[in-house]
Amino acid sequence: MTQRILVINPNSTQAVTDGIDRALQPLRLAGGPLFECVTLREGPPGIQSQRDVDGVVGPLTRLIGERQTDCDAFVIACYSDPGLHSAREVTRKPVLGISECGVLTALTLGHRFGVIAILAASIPRHLRYLGAMGVSSRLAAELPVGLQVTELADADRTRQRLIDTGRRLVDEHGAHVIVMGCAGMAQYRQPLEDALGVPVVEPTQAAAGMAWTRVRLA
Amino acid sequence: MTQRILVINPNSTQAVTDGIDRALQPLRLAGGPLFECVTLREGPPGIQSQRDVDGVVGPLTRLIGERQTDCDAFVIACYSDPGLHSAREVTRKPVLGISECGVLTALTLGHRFGVIAILAASIPRHLRYLGAMGVSSRLAAELPVGLQVTELADADRTRQRLIDTGRRLVDEHGAHVIVMGCAGMAQYRQPLEDALGVPVVEPTQAAAGMAWTRVRLA
Amino acid sequence: MTQRILVINPNSTQAVTDGIDRALQPLRLAGGPLFECVTLREGPPGIQSQRDVDGVVGPLTRLIGERQTDCDAFVIACYSDPGLHSAREVTRKPVLGISECGVLTALTLGHRFGVIAILAASIPRHLRYLGAMGVSSRLAAELPVGLQVTELADADRTRQRLIDTGRRLVDEHGAHVIVMGCAGMAQYRQPLEDALGVPVVEPTQAAAGMAWTRVRLA
Amino acid sequence: MTQRILVINPNSTQAVTDGIDRALQPLRLAGGPLFECVTLREGPPGIQSQRDVDGVVGPLTRLIGERQTDCDAFVIACYSDPGLHSAREVTRKPVLGISECGVLTALTLGHRFGVIAILAASIPRHLRYLGAMGVSSRLAAELPVGLQVTELADADRTRQRLIDTGRRLVDEHGAHVIVMGCAGMAQYRQPLEDALGVPVVEPTQAAAGMAWTRVRLA
Amino acid sequence: MTQRILVINPNSTQAVTDGIDRALQPLRLAGGPLFECVTLREGPPGIQSQRDVDGVVGPLTRLIGERQTDCDAFVIACYSDPGLHSAREVTRKPVLGISECGVLTALTLGHRFGVIAILAASIPRHLRYLGAMGVSSRLAAELPVGLQVTELADADRTRQRLIDTGRRLVDEHGAHVIVMGCAGMAQYRQPLEDALGVPVVEPTQAAAGMAWTRVRLA
Amino acid sequence: MTQRILVINPNSTQAVTDGIDRALQPLRLAGGPLFECVTLREGPPGIQSQRDVDGVVGPLTRLIGERQTDCDAFVIACYSDPGLHSAREVTRKPVLGISECGVLTALTLGHRFGVIAILAASIPRHLRYLGAMGVSSRLAAELPVGLQVTELADADRTRQRLIDTGRRLVDEHGAHVIVMGCAGMAQYRQPLEDALGVPVVEPTQAAAGMAWTRVRLA
């Protein structure tokens, strides 16, 4: 029977889910695990605060609980990895978070990693998480793009800001690899890598690949 | 007007709240901030899993939001500090967590601190938190008492197990100070300290004192 | 009987002691512990070097030894925490250092803390101390105000330099909270916080509050 | 055209390569990248010392250089990751090491990881590597099985020793997940996991999965 | 003119100074720097507490100040490195501490170092120092010999206890190299190394060698 | 019989060996160990990449093996310490690396050390090494001089670039001591120290001094 990996966008913005879905296309293979990308209807339009993070854990873990019989693994596709450890209590199936997997993948691509955050206010939360992971000594810096969430709709401006921010991480903070600190922006990965000349990790792809591996080895 | 510090027991067990209330008696002074201890009715009987932790954030932050007009500070009285960073977004009034404050207080009392956990399953969660706090290098070890939550009702047995566990932390792991990794057990603090011969921190008291200070200095 | 906390300014400048005394006013409550602020006559006018730090340990611990019968706790009010560990050998009463308590309090107020030092030459000494405390990974940076000790008499200039230095810690080094790396300058705490928009810790107040808590719980 | 991942066993023992080859079977999918497992003929029978590690870098990187036109990624299948950073200079194709990938995968499966080494003499080398990776704070402990390489041929004894060593890592050192510190022993992964009740990572599988992902996303 | 290195035993026990003097014999060469070993008369018979450490800083730095015109470098020969940073303010001549140099030398001899302390009460002080040095992650453990200072006069018993303690550091804590956490016991270095089979660092010799180098290169 | 320390320049450039030889002149004393400086003929003209590092391990350890009967210690005089741990397996005689010894010596001279690298591409390799050594928390920053290897022949330009780079390490990154991240440039040490006003470590001298000490104490 076909294996299935459920990739959950915990915010309610379908466009983000669509971006995630497109990003996983290269990982789909006939005969291999399916990637089903879903939007958490109960989520906020965007996950910006710790309250947003904590607020989605309930519906997110409920969804995982409901789908654990027909799914073989789960990916939580928000860079704050909301509910990751709760979800791992709900099911014995693998649950991967894109922040954890994005950072760990970066460690295989360069010595010091930089992170591009959308919002400055998310940075302390991410720093706490890196501390909990025990990998803070590999962090070059995390910087925000400095755009409002609504401004992200302007693709040219967003791409330019990502490049500007990545450039500062590389030039001023000595980053050897960049992690995109958000989901659903995979379209900018290649342009960013081309502009910066260092590897750029799209974290949903990184997590999906690790989920794929776990499913195949189970 | 009298200042008020709301101490919230996020589990629904009134006996725990009562224990917390008694523990704060020495910090009450005529003319000083009141400590009001309340039980979060929506909480589970005990907070044992990450799901329990994440599950109380919603009602806990709601309660803090409702009480922020008549309270001057908040203490979250569960050793996992559930919702601490969410609560700090809800109100600009000080919010202290007993785990954070208990550990920081221990750092002023001895070089390496040991933690007595109730459940072995909580230890990885606590270790993640210590990593996020950036103080892991000061940890001697964390060990569980190895009792079921229901067995805690037997005071003699509980006291003995706390002492046995504390003894291992001191003798085998080199702890110079002990943190009690739970709320509502302040009655065992002094016997434990007497038996072990090293300082023992009751974290609710530590957090209440830091809240008192913040309120007076505001 | 009234409890008493002795706050010792280890330098011989009475104006600093007076500033400390005023800073503790909010922590004084009828029926609560007294704060008695004293000047260590044998101290130098200001503690600037490691020699100054080491040089006051003798008279400081002597004073603590003499006063331990009529005092319930001691605060060493110099940001280098001179003689802290010696003093803890002299008496079993609580002894708190303002550097230790100021930094630990900052950890409850923001993820990365910045420190404003008076003198550049003190920074290596402070960094050694943060290393000994095991909290270096939470440090954003420590920067000096770049004023001679005599220039601190000019309040307007001092306030402006504190703000400029704090601004660099926040903007260039990513500090989320600021610790004032000196005693006796509590008057600048609120203006600094207003100007920077992040919490600012006055370390003598932080230590006094922790001493108050220890005394009440003893 | 079919993508190809070259998995190189840098020791000259074909039985190890055969074990690796079997271990990767679940990752093979029609239409997906091939895994070709090869033995480095110039390698020693087993890689035991730092000299063995350094000694295979030349032939290993030569092989990678020669095969980079017909291969899309490389896996170095020895737990010391010999030549990993040299190989990354030889080719722009992804090169993964099983130690790096095994450890990073373990970080997604439990808080503190234990490592089972074959030889005690390899432990300092592995500790240096974990330090270079910046993940030492997540290590519970590394312990050797205490068997001569020749004794590994006795499968029953080997399995029992792996279980005994893993048991000590879990019970005495608090490991929440185990990494097998060797290649070619995938047959013991499941029995070890069953016996210990915690996740066990077979590092060649972990690295192969990460290589698969990199190839698909390239 | 002959260069001169002043090695100061900060305790007042001449027998310790004599032991230090004998230990430096191999570093003496015609035409090379002299090692003059002196006893700090004002010191206590043994440096056991933090008060002892802080208490000798005054006379120690005075002595260094007086001798800086006729000496080219100084070694502070007590494992707590009393007054090291004060002394570096007193003179621009090199000042080395045996604890700092002993530990740094150990880092060149094995991955994890163990320390044998005389007294258990000194261990927290040493741990603070290792934290200040930033090398705690290389520490296997520090254990006390568990003898009273007076019992050290019994050479057979002392040697045996050193060996027993070192054995536990190697076998139970994974130390690859041992640092003797005291001055004046160089006579036990070789027997200890022979018994344990790992390198053993006598810290006064290590510091004297680094002082010799600094003097020759000045 | 005269003791002999073999200092090996692992690149094939005799001018570098000559510079090393001159740098060791102050450590030569009649009756003391000889320093014999040799060029590894099989080495590349300069060691710039990880491949260069790994590539010299074979001939380097062969040379050490051949010379271990007539030499008492070995110094590997390249800032990447190529083959250091392999060499320590080849001989029981002391083997010191200039990077390890240069950094450890810097730790005795200032709190945070800066490193001047020749090539930007070497920095990740050096950072891995500092991580393996466990001393990363003491690093202020490492910056490249930004010269091609061929440009190093221009002494005036090289000296100016070293000073400019050191200046940035001190002023922008807070370095209290500088390590020259290369061998054979001892002529610039004093001018650099004079220009910067902080200690500057020439790593070959540091390693040679530690080797001298080991030989005398053996």
Side-chain angles (χ1 to χ4, degrees):
Chain A
M1 210 185 90
T2 304
Q3 295 167 311
R4 181 181 297 266
I5 296 167
L6 192 68
V7 180
I8 307 171
N9 168 22
N11 74 42
S12 59
T13 302
Q14 183 62 35
V16 169
T17 314
D18 295 344
I20 292 168
D21 190 74
R22 281 190 300 272
L24 304 187
Q25 201 52 37
L27 300 177
R28 290 172 167 123
L29 266 186
L34 288 180
F35 290 98
E36 176 187 347
C37 300
V38 297
T39 303
L40 187 73
R41 273 193 313 263
E42 298 91 335
I47 289 184
Q48 304 189 23
S49 64
Q50 183 70 46
R51 290 177 76 191
D52 292 338
V53 171
D54 290 342
V56 300
V57 178
L60 181 62
T61 52
R62 247 187 325 273
L63 174 60
I64 290 173
E66 290 163 9
R67 296 298 304 275
Q68 66 169 316
T69 51
D70 78 314
C71 292
D72 299 275
F74 299 89
V75 172
I76 300 176
C78 160
Y79 194 72
S80 294
D81 286 358
L84 181 62
H85 292 284
S86 273
R88 286 175 180 168
E89 292 173 356
V90 169
T91 179
R92 302 198 59 167
K93 303 284 178 67
V95 186
L96 281 307
I98 68 167
S99 181
E100 186 173 63
C101 294
V103 167
L104 297 178
T105 296
L107 299 188
T108 70
L109 285 159
H111 192 73
R112 281 191 170 161
F113 65 98
V115 180
I116 303 178
I118 302 302
L119 301 170
S122 302
I123 293 177
R125 183 169 71 246
H126 297 166
L127 294 178
R128 289 194 298 269
Y129 193 56
L130 292 175
M133 289 179 64
V135 297
S136 305
S137 69
R138 295 284 294 271
L139 178 68
E142 175 163 350
L143 295 176
V145 287
L147 289 175
Q148 298 301 104
V149 172
T150 52
E151 295 175 299
L152 298 172
D154 180 341
D156 285 348
R157 190 174 179 189
T158 298
R159 189 181 55 245
Q160 193 53 48
R161 282 292 186 97
L162 288 168
I163 290 171
D164 293 346
T165 309
R167 176 60 57 209
R168 284 182 55 209
L169 288 167
V170 171
D171 289 350
E172 299 172 21
H173 297 276
H176 306 110
V177 54
I178 299 294
V179 180
M180 298 175 75
C182 51
M185 298 176 78
Q187 60 177 310
Y188 301 110
R189 201 200 65 79
Q190 193 64 54
L192 194 48
E193 191 164 294
D194 293 343
L196 299 179
V198 301
V200 175
V201 177
E202 201 289 316
T204 312
Q205 294 177 327
M210 291 183 92
W212 190 96
T213 303
R214 293 277 292 280
V215 162
R216 293 301 301 170
L217 294 172
Chain B
M1 209 185 90
T2 305
Q3 294 168 312
R4 182 181 295 268
I5 296 166
L6 192 69
V7 180
I8 307 170
N9 168 21
N11 72 41
S12 59
T13 302
Q14 183 62 35
V16 170
T17 314
D18 294 345
I20 291 168
D21 190 72
R22 281 190 300 273
L24 303 188
Q25 200 52 38
L27 299 177
R28 289 174 168 123
L29 266 187
L34 288 180
F35 290 98
E36 175 187 347
C37 300
V38 299
T39 303
L40 188 73
R41 275 194 312 265
E42 299 91 335
I47 290 184
Q48 304 189 24
S49 63
Q50 182 70 47
R51 290 176 76 189
D52 290 338
V53 172
D54 291 342
V56 299
V57 179
L60 181 62
T61 51
R62 248 189 323 273
L63 175 59
I64 290 173
E66 290 163 9
R67 295 299 303 274
Q68 66 168 316
T69 51
D70 78 314
C71 292
D72 299 277
F74 299 88
V75 171
I76 300 175
C78 161
Y79 194 72
S80 294
D81 287 357
L84 181 61
H85 291 284
S86 273
R88 287 176 179 167
E89 292 172 358
V90 168
T91 179
R92 304 198 58 168
K93 302 284 177 66
V95 187
L96 282 307
I98 68 166
S99 181
E100 186 174 62
C101 295
V103 168
L104 297 179
T105 295
L107 299 188
T108 70
L109 285 159
H111 192 73
R112 281 190 171 164
F113 65 98
V115 180
I116 304 178
I118 303 302
L119 302 169
S122 302
I123 293 177
R125 181 169 72 247
H126 296 166
L127 294 178
R128 290 195 297 269
Y129 193 56
L130 292 175
M133 287 179 65
V135 297
S136 305
S137 68
R138 294 284 292 273
L139 178 70
E142 176 163 348
L143 295 176
V145 287
L147 288 175
Q148 297 302 105
V149 173
T150 52
E151 296 175 296
L152 297 172
D154 180 342
D156 284 347
R157 189 173 182 192
T158 299
R159 190 182 53 246
Q160 194 51 50
R161 283 296 185 95
L162 288 167
I163 290 170
D164 294 346
T165 310
R167 176 62 53 212
R168 286 183 54 209
L169 288 168
V170 170
D171 289 351
E172 297 173 23
H173 297 277
H176 305 111
V177 54
I178 300 293
V179 180
M180 300 176 73
C182 50
M185 298 177 76
Q187 60 177 310
Y188 301 110
R189 200 199 67 77
Q190 191 65 55
L192 193 48
E193 193 165 290
D194 292 343
L196 300 178
V198 301
V200 175
V201 177
E202 200 290 317
T204 312
Q205 294 178 327
M210 291 183 91
W212 190 96
T213 303
R214 292 279 292 279
V215 162
R216 293 300 303 171
L217 293 172
Chain C
M1 211 186 88
T2 304
Q3 295 167 312
R4 182 181 295 268
I5 296 167
L6 193 69
V7 180
I8 307 170
N9 169 21
N11 72 41
S12 58
T13 303
Q14 183 63 34
V16 169
T17 314
D18 295 343
I20 291 168
D21 190 73
R22 281 190 300 273
L24 304 188
Q25 200 53 36
L27 299 177
R28 289 173 167 125
L29 266 185
L34 287 179
F35 290 99
E36 175 187 346
C37 299
V38 298
T39 302
L40 187 73
R41 273 191 314 262
E42 298 90 337
I47 290 183
Q48 304 190 23
S49 63
Q50 182 70 47
R51 290 176 76 191
D52 291 337
V53 171
D54 290 342
V56 298
V57 178
L60 181 61
T61 51
R62 247 188 325 271
L63 175 60
I64 290 174
E66 290 163 8
R67 296 297 304 273
Q68 67 169 316
T69 51
D70 78 315
C71 294
D72 299 276
F74 299 88
V75 171
I76 300 175
C78 160
Y79 195 72
S80 294
D81 287 357
L84 181 61
H85 292 284
S86 273
R88 287 175 179 167
E89 291 172 357
V90 168
T91 178
R92 305 199 57 170
K93 302 285 176 66
V95 187
L96 281 306
I98 69 166
S99 181
E100 187 174 61
C101 295
V103 167
L104 296 178
T105 296
L107 300 188
T108 71
L109 285 160
H111 192 74
R112 281 190 171 162
F113 66 99
V115 180
I116 304 179
I118 302 301
L119 302 170
S122 303
I123 293 178
R125 181 169 72 245
H126 296 167
L127 294 178
R128 289 194 298 268
Y129 193 56
L130 292 175
M133 289 179 63
V135 298
S136 305
S137 68
R138 294 285 292 273
L139 179 69
E142 176 163 348
L143 296 177
V145 287
L147 289 175
Q148 297 301 104
V149 172
T150 52
E151 296 175 298
L152 297 172
D154 179 344
D156 284 347
R157 190 174 181 190
T158 298
R159 189 182 55 245
Q160 193 53 48
R161 282 294 185 96
L162 288 167
I163 289 171
D164 293 346
T165 309
R167 176 62 55 213
R168 286 182 54 209
L169 288 167
V170 171
D171 289 350
E172 298 172 22
H173 297 276
H176 305 109
V177 54
I178 299 294
V179 180
M180 299 174 73
C182 49
M185 298 175 78
Q187 59 177 312
Y188 302 110
R189 202 200 65 79
Q190 192 65 55
L192 194 48
E193 191 164 294
D194 292 343
L196 299 179
V198 301
V200 175
V201 177
E202 200 289 316
T204 312
Q205 294 177 327
M210 292 183 90
W212 190 96
T213 303
R214 292 278 293 280
V215 163
R216 293 300 302 169
L217 294 170
Chain D
M1 210 186 92
T2 304
Q3 295 167 312
R4 180 179 298 265
I5 296 167
L6 192 70
V7 180
I8 306 170
N9 168 22
N11 72 41
S12 59
T13 303
Q14 183 63 33
V16 170
T17 313
D18 294 344
I20 291 168
D21 191 72
R22 282 190 300 273
L24 303 188
Q25 200 54 36
L27 299 176
R28 291 174 166 122
L29 267 184
L34 289 179
F35 289 98
E36 176 185 348
C37 299
V38 298
T39 302
L40 187 72
R41 273 192 314 263
E42 298 91 333
I47 290 184
Q48 304 189 23
S49 63
Q50 182 70 48
R51 289 176 76 189
D52 291 337
V53 172
D54 291 342
V56 298
V57 178
L60 181 61
T61 51
R62 247 188 324 273
L63 174 60
I64 290 174
E66 290 163 9
R67 296 296 304 274
Q68 67 168 316
T69 50
D70 79 314
C71 293
D72 299 275
F74 299 88
V75 171
I76 300 175
C78 161
Y79 194 72
S80 294
D81 287 357
L84 181 61
H85 291 284
S86 273
R88 288 175 180 167
E89 291 172 357
V90 168
T91 177
R92 303 199 56 168
K93 303 282 178 68
V95 186
L96 281 309
I98 69 166
S99 181
E100 186 174 61
C101 294
V103 167
L104 297 178
T105 295
L107 299 189
T108 70
L109 285 160
H111 192 72
R112 281 191 172 162
F113 65 98
V115 179
I116 304 178
I118 301 304
L119 301 170
S122 302
I123 294 178
R125 182 168 72 245
H126 296 166
L127 294 178
R128 288 194 299 268
Y129 194 55
L130 291 175
M133 288 179 65
V135 298
S136 306
S137 68
R138 295 284 294 272
L139 178 69
E142 175 161 350
L143 295 176
V145 287
L147 288 175
Q148 297 301 103
V149 172
T150 53
E151 296 174 298
L152 297 173
D154 179 341
D156 284 346
R157 189 173 182 193
T158 298
R159 189 182 53 247
Q160 193 52 51
R161 283 294 186 95
L162 288 167
I163 290 172
D164 294 346
T165 309
R167 175 61 56 211
R168 286 183 54 209
L169 288 167
V170 170
D171 289 351
E172 298 172 22
H173 297 277
H176 305 111
V177 54
I178 299 295
V179 179
M180 299 176 73
C182 51
M185 298 176 78
Q187 61 177 311
Y188 302 111
R189 201 199 65 79
Q190 192 65 52
L192 193 49
E193 191 164 292
D194 292 344
L196 299 178
V198 301
V200 175
V201 176
E202 200 289 315
T204 312
Q205 294 177 327
M210 289 183 92
W212 190 97
T213 304
R214 292 279 293 280
V215 162
R216 293 300 300 170
L217 293 171
Chain E
M1 211 185 88
T2 304
Q3 296 168 311
R4 181 180 298 265
I5 296 168
L6 191 70
V7 180
I8 307 170
N9 168 22
N11 73 40
S12 57
T13 303
Q14 182 62 34
V16 170
T17 314
D18 295 344
I20 292 168
D21 190 72
R22 282 190 298 273
L24 304 188
Q25 200 54 38
L27 300 176
R28 290 173 166 124
L29 266 185
L34 290 180
F35 290 98
E36 175 186 347
C37 299
V38 298
T39 303
L40 187 72
R41 275 192 312 262
E42 299 91 335
I47 289 184
Q48 304 190 23
S49 63
Q50 183 70 46
R51 289 175 78 189
D52 292 338
V53 172
D54 291 343
V56 299
V57 178
L60 181 62
T61 50
R62 240 179 340 264
L63 175 60
I64 290 174
E66 290 162 9
R67 297 297 303 273
Q68 67 169 315
T69 50
D70 77 315
C71 293
D72 300 276
F74 300 89
V75 171
I76 300 176
C78 160
Y79 194 72
S80 294
D81 286 357
L84 181 61
H85 291 285
S86 273
R88 287 175 180 167
E89 292 172 357
V90 168
T91 178
R92 305 198 57 170
K93 302 283 176 67
V95 186
L96 281 308
I98 68 167
S99 181
E100 186 174 63
C101 295
V103 168
L104 297 178
T105 295
L107 300 187
T108 70
L109 285 161
H111 192 72
R112 282 191 170 160
F113 66 98
V115 179
I116 303 179
I118 302 302
L119 302 170
S122 303
I123 294 177
R125 182 170 70 246
H126 297 166
L127 294 178
R128 288 195 297 269
Y129 193 56
L130 292 175
M133 287 180 64
V135 298
S136 305
S137 67
R138 295 284 293 273
L139 179 69
E142 175 162 349
L143 295 176
V145 285
L147 288 176
Q148 297 302 103
V149 172
T150 52
E151 296 175 297
L152 297 172
D154 180 342
D156 284 347
R157 189 172 181 192
T158 298
R159 189 182 54 248
Q160 194 51 49
R161 283 294 184 97
L162 288 167
I163 290 171
D164 294 345
T165 309
R167 176 61 55 213
R168 286 183 55 209
L169 288 167
V170 171
D171 289 350
E172 298 172 23
H173 297 276
H176 306 110
V177 55
I178 299 294
V179 179
M180 300 176 74
C182 50
M185 298 176 76
Q187 60 178 309
Y188 302 110
R189 201 200 66 78
Q190 192 66 53
L192 194 48
E193 191 165 291
D194 292 344
L196 300 178
V198 302
V200 175
V201 176
E202 200 288 316
T204 311
Q205 293 177 327
M210 291 183 91
W212 190 96
T213 304
R214 291 279 292 280
V215 162
R216 293 300 301 167
L217 293 172
Chain F
M1 208 185 92
T2 304
Q3 295 167 311
R4 181 181 296 266
I5 297 167
L6 192 68
V7 180
I8 307 171
N9 167 24
N11 73 42
S12 58
T13 303
Q14 184 63 33
V16 170
T17 314
D18 294 345
I20 291 167
D21 190 74
R22 281 189 300 271
L24 303 188
Q25 199 53 35
L27 300 176
R28 290 174 166 121
L29 267 184
L34 288 180
F35 290 97
E36 175 186 348
C37 300
V38 298
T39 303
L40 187 72
R41 273 193 315 264
E42 300 90 334
I47 290 185
Q48 304 190 23
S49 64
Q50 182 69 47
R51 292 176 75 190
D52 291 338
V53 172
D54 290 342
V56 299
V57 179
L60 180 63
T61 51
R62 245 187 326 270
L63 174 60
I64 289 173
E66 291 163 8
R67 296 297 302 275
Q68 65 169 316
T69 50
D70 78 315
C71 293
D72 300 277
F74 298 88
V75 171
I76 301 176
C78 160
Y79 194 72
S80 295
D81 286 357
L84 181 62
H85 292 284
S86 273
R88 287 175 180 168
E89 293 172 357
V90 168
T91 179
R92 304 198 59 168
K93 302 284 177 68
V95 186
L96 280 308
I98 67 166
S99 181
E100 187 174 62
C101 295
V103 167
L104 297 178
T105 295
L107 299 188
T108 70
L109 285 160
H111 192 74
R112 282 190 169 161
F113 66 97
V115 180
I116 304 179
I118 302 302
L119 302 170
S122 302
I123 293 177
R125 181 169 72 247
H126 297 166
L127 293 178
R128 289 195 298 269
Y129 193 56
L130 292 175
M133 288 179 66
V135 297
S136 304
S137 68
R138 294 285 293 272
L139 178 69
E142 176 162 348
L143 296 176
V145 288
L147 289 175
Q148 297 302 104
V149 172
T150 52
E151 296 175 297
L152 296 173
D154 179 343
D156 284 346
R157 190 174 181 189
T158 298
R159 189 181 55 245
Q160 192 53 49
R161 283 294 186 95
L162 288 168
I163 290 171
D164 294 346
T165 308
R167 176 61 55 210
R168 286 182 54 208
L169 288 167
V170 171
D171 289 350
E172 299 173 20
H173 297 276
H176 306 111
V177 54
I178 299 295
V179 179
M180 300 176 74
C182 49
M185 297 176 77
Q187 60 177 310
Y188 301 111
R189 201 200 65 79
Q190 192 65 55
L192 194 48
E193 192 165 290
D194 293 343
L196 299 179
V198 301
V200 175
V201 176
E202 202 288 316
T204 311
Q205 293 178 327
M210 291 182 90
W212 190 96
T213 303
R214 292 278 293 279
V215 163
R216 293 301 302 169
L217 294 171

